[in-house]
Amino acid sequence: MRKLAILGASLLILQAQPGAAQETPATATDAPAMSASAAGSARTAPERRFTGADLFDLSIAADPQISPDGRRIAYVRRANDIMSDRAVSSIWLIDTQTGAEVPLAGTNGSAFSPRWSPDGKRLAFASTEGGSAQLWVRWMDGGEAVRLTGLPTSPSSLAWSPDGRSIAYTMLVKDEGLTLGKAPANKPEGAKWAEPLEMYDLLTYRADGEGYVEPGFEKIFVVPATGGAPRQLTFGRYHDGGPLSWSRDGRTLYFGANRKPDWETDRVESEIHALDIASGTVTALTDRNGPDANPLVSPDGQTIAWLGFDDARRAYENNNLYVMNRDGSGRRNLTENWDYGVDAIQWAADGRSLYAQYDDRGETKVARIGLDGSVRMAVSGLSGGGLDRPYTGGSFTVADTGAIAFTGGTAIRPAEVQVVQGGKTRMLTDLNRSLREVKTLGEVRKITTPSSHDGKEIEGWLTLPPGYREGQRVPLILEIHGGPFAAYGPHFATDNQLYAAAGYAVLSANPRGSTSYGEAFANEIDKAYPGNDYFDLISIVDRAIALGIADPDALFVTGGSGGGVLTSWIVGKTDRFKAAVTQKPVINWTTQALTADGPGFFGPYWLGAEPWEKPELFWARSPLSLVGNVKTPTLVVVGSEDYRTPVSEAEQYYTALRLRGVPTALVKVPGASHGGIAARPSQSAAKASAILAWFEKYRKGWTPPAD
């Protein structure tokens, strides 16, 4: 099983590393994505409201890779396909001067992870064309794309050697699992016996989005860029993951990994390692207690930058940006006095500074950080954290010329490819023009309020119903983000627009514990979650009422993951909301800590102990402890293959509510993981519809029967 990255991020949400995104291959398809609107309609006029069917018409840009000379951008276009009910990924090429686009890969299977060769004459990528994901290279001067590999599992973390002769990558190498005894040997020919026993001995034996873990370890390989046999470079019973970075002489690969004997139980630890390609010798360059990952060699080859933090066993830490000499000496923290978490980095061509992606008060930006620690803004307006909810996110790359390609949109426009050249920003794609020209979407406004708990400023964004008139009071949905160490912002969200189209205002707030407001603000909930974040959320709801927008007699609440935790906590604390929907919640911290796919992390880092050490603490922070107070009709939603906040959490809460006589129902999303609960467009639309139907059913609330 692959080691979960925890560089300052929460385990309750899944967010890709923006600077080194590797995509899980989708099911292969033999045709481009088909949209819902392609079938036409018998309506007498266009449907101006945003509907569930519109999810099949959406596309989003991701992973923009600008060529070294800045003239072209290869990016991944993810388009929802009505026939397969999935997002289909293809790679497109944009001329940065004219904006002209041409397709490169993805007509006969998903294509993703484009990476330019150092001279910009070739493009490596992964594609499922012909079956499983393989490594391909395309010659950009008009030549063909050639498949380089025939691998048993998908390649990740593609990295060209400086001379362009080789490509390194990581891949899961299968291993034999535990065996104990055997079935009888006298099986008659044609007999149909039961499936063999399943045996597990890994601490994390199942992973969200992956299922029950296939025995094996992620290892580093290299393959000639013109084809030939791959060569395995690392060995051993631990994971050697990406991203990978080459030394300038092509003799060494740098990577982050935990190669210590306790790698299974220490979920946070990793070190930067140097791999001598000729001998296979692996040398650790860092040795501190805490994660060291994402190594990146400077243009002159003398310095290595990387991300990490000192592990203080707190619930959250900002990722810091470090540099060291290539032998591991001279380590320095460039962002020690900069209170933001760094998510992705790239060296400037002159080697005197690095570009760093970070979140600031719900918005994603790129700064240029000098080796002297100086910081100046480079790009703002990144987006691409998802489609269903307004999370921060996005990705960027930088050309040798200083041109920056990035994904960015608005609160009413999904992420597009944009470029900054000569101080000017241009949007190069318009992937959802047909929808934009027809649909009327809800306006998004920022609101702030002091928390009733201690006066801390709390920010949120209100999505208003289309055509909203000033002074009009409308029903309000408080929609709480997951994480809890994550952030909402002014970003496009299908859930919010669907709710707004049904006449609701939607409040997306960032209570204490949210990222992008500094490390101290995030750690307000360290060993105290859920807790005072409740007051922050109630305060910003009161602000929406005070602004004359929210109807105080028509309040509703929902949220997923960490938002599901807080939804369940809220209805145990107050009866103000007419109805609630808790999505993929944690209900009982004891059972979650021992059944989720991050054992050894949640207890020690979030509550400060294991369940058997402080059982009363685990119970005091569990929403199940408050279920005796609940009088709010509460729907419970969960993916049937959720291994992050396992299905048993939702089932416990549903059963407790039923036993108490509180109106409830249990909705399972078939085949859905925690991070993929909205991955299938039909299910995402149906889930939003079920939530709206529940709110409508209890629009006037519910009165418990007299005892």
Side-chain angles (χ1 to χ4, degrees):
M1 108 99 197
R2 293 170 178 80
K3 181 179 183 291
L4 292 172
I6 316 174
L7 289 186
S10 164
L11 279 170
L12 287 190
I13 59 170
L14 297 177
Q15 291 181 311
Q17 285 283 350
Q22 299 295 332
E23 180 175 322
T24 300
T27 301
T29 178
D30 292 330
M34 179 182 290
S35 68
S37 58
S41 171
R43 293 175 57 89
T44 58
E47 171 59 82
R48 299 292 181 182
R49 296 179 309 129
F50 189 71
T51 70
D54 292 327
L55 269 61
F56 287 109
D57 290 336
L58 288 174
S59 296
I60 189 170
D63 199 10
Q65 298 289 317
I66 194 166
S67 60
D69 62 9
R71 295 171 56 192
R72 295 176 290 186
I73 299 170
Y75 77 98
V76 176
R77 181 187 295 187
R78 296 176 183 156
N80 285 340
D81 174 34
I82 197 170
M83 299 305 293
S84 64
D85 194 18
R86 296 180 183 274
V88 176
S89 296
S90 56
I91 297 174
W92 289 67
L93 187 70
I94 307 174
D95 184 303
T96 59
Q97 297 302 312
T98 66
E101 283 193 73
V102 294
L104 280 186
T107 57
N108 295 304
S110 289
F112 48 96
S113 300
R115 296 294 182 266
W116 290 99
S117 62
D119 60 8
K121 295 180 178 180
R122 289 166 292 169
L123 188 76
F125 60 93
S127 173
T128 61
E129 181 176 342
S132 61
Q134 301 295 333
L135 176 59
W136 293 64
V137 169
R138 183 184 182 93
W139 275 253
M140 302 302 292
D141 59 357
E144 295 184 1
V146 175
R147 194 179 89 170
L148 294 189
T149 60
L151 307 176
T153 57
S154 178
S156 299
S157 304
L158 312 184
W160 287 87
S161 62
D163 61 8
R165 297 181 60 194
S166 302
I167 301 173
Y169 62 91
T170 63
M171 185 189 75
L172 182 70
V173 176
K174 296 181 181 180
D175 189 30
E176 291 186 5
L178 175 68
T179 59
L180 295 171
K182 57 185 177 181
N186 60 334
K187 180 178 179 181
E189 184 177 351
K192 295 183 178 180
W193 286 13
E195 293 294 318
L197 303 182
E198 297 178 358
M199 300 183 186
Y200 306 99
D201 61 354
L202 289 172
L203 176 61
T204 302
Y205 60 92
R206 60 185 186 180
D208 192 68
E210 184 177 347
Y212 282 80
V213 172
E214 187 175 14
F217 297 92
E218 192 172 10
K219 293 299 168 188
I220 300 172
F221 291 76
V222 66
V223 65
T226 54
R231 180 161 63 100
Q232 184 173 340
L233 299 179
T234 61
F235 301 85
R237 298 182 65 81
Y238 24 69
H239 297 285
D240 299 325
L244 308 173
S245 187
W246 291 79
S247 63
R248 289 297 166 243
D249 60 11
R251 296 178 179 178
T252 306
L253 273 168
Y254 299 94
F255 65 98
N258 184 352
R259 296 182 128 234
K260 299 175 182 177
D262 65 347
W263 65 267
E264 282 195 82
T265 55
D266 192 341
R267 308 293 300 175
V268 175
E269 180 66 18
S270 64
E271 306 293 353
I272 302 298
H273 294 83
L275 165 65
D276 183 274
I277 295 173
S279 68
T281 301
V282 175
T283 304
L285 299 183
T286 58
D287 56 7
R288 56 102 171 260
N289 180 29
D292 296 301
N294 297 66
L296 194 61
V297 177
S298 62
D300 65 4
Q302 299 304 306
T303 306
I304 300 172
W306 83 97
L307 302 179
F309 57 81
D310 292 322
D311 183 7
R313 293 180 79 83
R314 296 192 300 178
Y316 175 82
E317 303 287 348
N318 280 338
N319 270 343
N320 284 307
L321 170 59
Y322 298 85
V323 292
M324 62 181 169
N325 299 325
R326 63 181 181 179
D327 62 357
S329 64
R331 303 171 197 163
R332 292 190 294 129
N333 183 353
L334 298 183
T335 55
E336 185 174 7
N337 299 314
W338 194 59
D339 198 13
Y340 298 99
V342 180
D343 295 318
I345 54 174
Q346 182 173 338
W347 280 97
D350 61 12
R352 293 185 294 182
S353 61
L354 293 109
Y355 294 89
Q357 181 174 321
Y358 67 102
D359 290 342
D360 178 15
R361 304 184 74 86
E363 300 189 48
T364 303
K365 303 175 180 179
V366 176
R368 191 165 180 173
I369 301 176
L371 294 180
D372 60 357
S374 60
V375 179
R376 60 187 175 92
M377 175 65 66
V379 178
S380 61
L382 276 72
S383 65
L387 273 175
D388 61 322
R389 289 176 290 164
Y391 282 112
T392 57
S395 55
F396 79 100
T397 53
V398 186
D400 292 343
T401 62
I404 303 174
F406 66 97
T407 57
T410 69
I412 58 173
R413 186 169 181 173
E416 306 276 5
V417 177
Q418 301 191 45
V419 66
V420 176
Q421 290 176 309
K424 296 182 178 179
T425 302
R426 292 181 294 128
M427 190 172 290
L428 299 178
T429 59
D430 194 355
L431 301 181
N432 299 286
R433 186 180 65 180
S434 296
L435 274 177
R436 287 196 306 105
E437 291 177 346
V438 173
K439 300 294 176 176
T440 302
L441 299 177
E443 175 194 350
V444 178
R445 298 180 183 176
K446 183 177 179 178
I447 66 172
T448 62
T449 192
S451 172
S452 64
H453 175 65
D454 56 8
K456 283 186 171 60
E457 184 180 70
I458 306 301
E459 291 187 335
W461 286 264
L462 271 172
T463 304
L464 302 175
Y468 174 79
R469 300 188 310 275
E470 294 298 332
Q472 176 188 11
R473 287 198 180 271
V474 294
L476 177 78
I477 297 174
L478 171 62
E479 207 286 322
I480 309 169
H481 71 64
F485 303 105
Y488 277 161
H491 312 292
F492 180 80
T494 56
D495 276 5
N496 289 11
Q497 291 297 339
L498 288 170
Y499 301 153
Y504 294 83
V506 186
L507 177 54
S508 304
N510 285 337
R512 70 191 65 211
S514 300
T515 55
S516 76
Y517 297 88
E519 199 168 72
F521 187 81
N523 276 313
E524 282 281 330
I525 63 170
D526 180 34
K527 314 302 185 291
Y529 169 70
N532 294 329
D533 37 6
Y534 165 81
F535 299 104
D536 303 340
L537 293 168
I538 296 300
S539 296
I540 203 162
V541 167
D542 288 338
R543 178 58 177 163
I545 295 170
L547 289 171
I549 296 172
D551 182 346
D553 297 318
L555 302 177
F556 303 86
V557 60
T558 188
S561 190
V565 175
L566 284 168
T567 297
S568 305
W569 190 259
I570 284 171
V571 296
K573 291 282 190 178
T574 181
D575 302 334
R576 288 184 65 181
F577 296 89
K578 298 295 185 184
V581 179
T582 180
Q583 304 177 56
K584 49 185 183 180
V586 174
I587 294 304
N588 182 336
W589 283 112
T590 294
T591 53
Q592 196 273 345
L594 297 176
T595 60
D597 64 351
F601 175 79
F602 289 110
Y605 283 85
W606 285 15
L607 288 102
E610 294 290 6
W612 54 87
E613 296 170 338
K614 294 184 178 179
E616 68 288 345
L617 170 63
F618 278 69
W619 181 247
R621 294 295 174 185
S622 296
L624 191 58
S625 70
L626 303 179
V627 75
N629 303 334
V630 177
K631 298 178 182 178
T632 305
T634 303
L635 184 68
V636 185
V637 179
V638 68
S640 66
E641 296 181 13
D642 189 329
Y643 299 130
R644 183 64 44 79
T645 56
V647 178
S648 57
E649 295 297 308
E651 291 172 335
Q652 288 181 72
Y653 201 54
Y654 165 71
T655 301
L657 292 170
R658 287 283 285 130
L659 289 172
R660 289 210 57 251
V662 177
T664 186
L666 177 64
V667 175
K668 288 188 178 181
V669 183
S673 65
H674 186 85
I677 197 168
R680 308 293 292 272
S682 71
Q683 292 179 337
S684 182
K687 180 171 71 72
S689 179
I691 291 170
L692 288 169
W694 186 260
F695 290 161
E696 186 60 33
K697 182 176 182 178
Y698 293 100
R699 189 73 171 261
K700 296 184 179 180
W702 171 74
T703 302
D707 294 335

